[in-house]
Amino acid sequence: MCGIYFSWSSGKAYGPEQSILDLLKRRGPDAFQILERKVTTTVTDKNGTSIVQETFLTFASTVLSLRGIDVTAQPLRDPFSGSLLCWNGEAWKIGDQIVVENDAKTLFLLLCQVISVSKCDNNDDISTAEEIQRKILTILGSVKGPFAFVFFDAFNKRVFYGRDRSGRRSLLLNTQSHCGLAIASVVDGSPSPGWNEVEADGIYMLNVARPDHAASTHHDRQGSNQGEESCTAMIQPCLPADYAITRVLRWPDTAFNRAIHTQPKQRLRLNSLVVSDLTEKLIAAVALRSLGIPRHSAPNNAQACIAILFSGGLDCTLIARLLHDVLPLNCPIDLLNVAFENPRSIAAANKDSSSLAHRTPYLACPDRITGLSALSELQRICPGRYWQFVSIDVPYSETVDHRQRIVSLMYPHNTEMDFSIALALYFAARGTGTIWDSRTETSIHHHTYARVLLSGLGADELFAGYSRHSIAFKRGGQKALLEELILDFSRLSKRNLGRDDRIISHWGREIRFPYLDEDVVDWVVQRPVWEKCSYSTSNLEEGISDEPVLEPAKHLLRLAAWKLCMEKTATEKKRAIQFGARTARMEVGRVRGTRVLQA
């Protein structure tokens, strides 16, 4: 993983502001490098006069080393062509080939081979440039895994950038910056207006060699459905006089199975082939994301090199169970469970005479209760594994102290709901809490050394886990349910993933999503909706003793968990992180989640 910065300007080169540089170094503490390039271009004005223009490119990267034995500094540079790559991602596969070693170096080599071979051919400049672009896009389009990148084809003076089709890595764009056009993984939102997330809809290109030609192209306005518009309205003094951002590759829409049946289907059973097929797909996704992680930060083998954001719910506990099958038994696994002191909840509890009301505010958090319950189940069915349940207790005073930093990191997201989710992820990813020492019967301080965190995000969108999915089915049957699922999945990149990457990476950790593995997603969306959830199936099996009676939401996942002996986990109901950890509505009074945060 890395932090990326790029700028394109006239007059002089502009590196990242100190505030941005500090944030980038938090993301990538292992290496930092900045490279500059000057591009000289001859253009013709309206009078036919030739004018020499100079523009400046600045590339900067910080690195969190997670692939290969050695730390590889970025930007990567090709001595033959002068091309550069800033890569923030994990290319698990390129085409059908699994990438074992450093993925950034593997990908860069493929890109540079395209340029070097084409450069040696005797084609004219235009056809060569277009052929190189086509091959570059073919390679980038074949990558399976999360990524954001900036690649400079120095031979043709073209800059490519973009995010993977799910938007699992953050990338921000500013065409109104004082330094011209700028791209960054994260910015300090408070003094730096004008930044927007790069749309996770394809790969974009800047032609920095021929701005006079580029002015005749168009820019797909990001975040808009109004078609194309010229970029000339956004020109700043430091930006070249004519420029355009062109989307040169569009990610295909996720192809959901839209089949709808008119007669009730019988629910899936434990021995259904689709249950074992799903488990097999998920194990492969977990293995890709958990094996071969270098131990750069862990001082010894007693420290976990991987952790799970762990609420005790179905999605994350199923991942924990599968991770047990993947990792050697002597590898500990950290389960990061966060709970907050919430003044509003405490005030309500003080009026309650039940026994739960007298617990500490942390033990009374729903996610702490389900987390400890799931831990007990994992310990029972996975004997010999050392599960380190990390209790991360966050007093209200710490929430107040860190509020502005969290608001800045999640920028340009800015709503109450964004903050309540980011707050939980921020402290969970910090990884500082206590674990229970059974030998001394005491809680001891623990800070996780894991640089890789696994998350269950994506399961609700794929398997119909939200209450709105049930509401959609009641309102309009399978058709309405399917439309809601497609909508939810399509806006993951806008609503969640860029924000979550900025928050979690601040602690020098990388978040990985097994449910969003390309092979898993492709397999799941090809299943008809009644195989993923059971809102529209009959209850014929409820009288059969060897079949569990499970709720309709995420029914396929629940069967997979039950088959792996996690009967308690299979029956857990969905609870949003902001309510489970009690980060929502900390002050008295009702506040809508869509409300913009107050200064």
Side-chain angles (χ1 to χ4, degrees), residues 367-592:
D367 278 2
R368 181 59 49 82
I369 296 170
T370 57
L372 290 170
S373 173
L375 170 66
S376 177
E377 189 164 49
L378 286 171
Q379 290 172 330
R380 175 180 60 81
I381 62 178
C382 304
R385 172 71 64 189
Y386 183 28
W387 303 97
Q388 296 188 136
F389 186 89
V390 186
S391 299
I392 301 170
D393 299 338
V394 185
Y396 181 64
S397 59
E398 271 203 281
T399 296
V400 174
D401 291 344
H402 289 257
R403 176 184 170 87
Q404 191 52 50
R405 178 182 294 180
I406 297 169
V407 170
S408 179
L409 286 171
M410 73 184 197
Y411 173 86
H413 289 250
N414 62 352
T415 68
E416 293 285 350
M417 181 178 292
D418 285 317
F419 177 74
S420 63
I421 295 172
L423 175 61
L425 294 175
Y426 177 87
F427 282 103
R430 185 174 69 169
T432 300
T434 60
I435 59 174
W436 181 255
D437 188 340
S438 58
R439 295 167 298 179
T440 61
E441 296 291 313
T442 58
S443 294
I444 59 175
H445 175 79
H446 180 81
H447 180 77
T448 186
Y449 285 92
R451 287 183 158 198
V452 172
L453 309 182
L454 298 184
S455 166
L457 190 143
D460 289 307
E461 289 78 7
L462 287 170
F463 297 95
Y466 292 119
S467 59
R468 60 178 173 269
H469 296 141
S470 174
I471 294 171
F473 177 75
K474 292 175 182 177
R475 181 186 71 246
Q478 291 179 58
K479 186 176 185 295
L481 171 58
L482 186 58
E483 289 173 351
E484 193 73 27
L485 282 170
I486 294 171
L487 177 62
D488 276 344
F489 190 80
S490 69
R491 58 190 181 187
L492 261 177
S493 63
K494 293 177 181 289
R495 283 192 162 189
N496 301 77
L497 292 165
R499 175 201 64 205
D500 296 354
D501 177 69
R502 292 189 291 277
I503 292 293
I504 291 169
S505 298
H506 182 70
W507 298 109
R509 309 190 200 280
E510 179 176 276
I511 187 70
R512 298 179 179 177
F513 307 99
Y515 291 110
L516 295 180
D517 176 89
E518 282 84 353
D519 292 338
V520 171
V521 170
D522 289 345
W523 183 88
V524 174
V525 300
Q526 290 168 16
R527 308 271 70 76
V529 68
W530 61 84
E531 286 189 359
K532 293 176 277 191
C533 57
S534 57
Y535 291 116
S536 57
T537 56
S538 67
N539 298 328
L540 297 178
E541 78 278 16
E542 291 188 354
I544 304 175
S545 60
D546 60 347
E547 288 294 326
V549 179
L550 302 171
E551 69 169 276
K554 297 188 287 193
H555 191 244
L556 180 54
L557 277 186
R558 296 181 188 281
L559 287 172
W562 190 283
K563 196 169 182 178
L564 289 168
C565 302
M566 296 193 296
E567 291 89 350
K568 181 69 170 66
T569 296
T571 61
E572 286 292 347
K573 293 185 179 298
K574 167 66 183 176
R575 186 187 306 111
I577 186 173
Q578 63 268 35
F579 301 116
R582 289 190 170 165
T583 58
R585 299 197 299 267
M586 285 205 169
E587 288 76 26
V588 176
R590 295 185 63 84
V591 177
R592 292 183 64 87

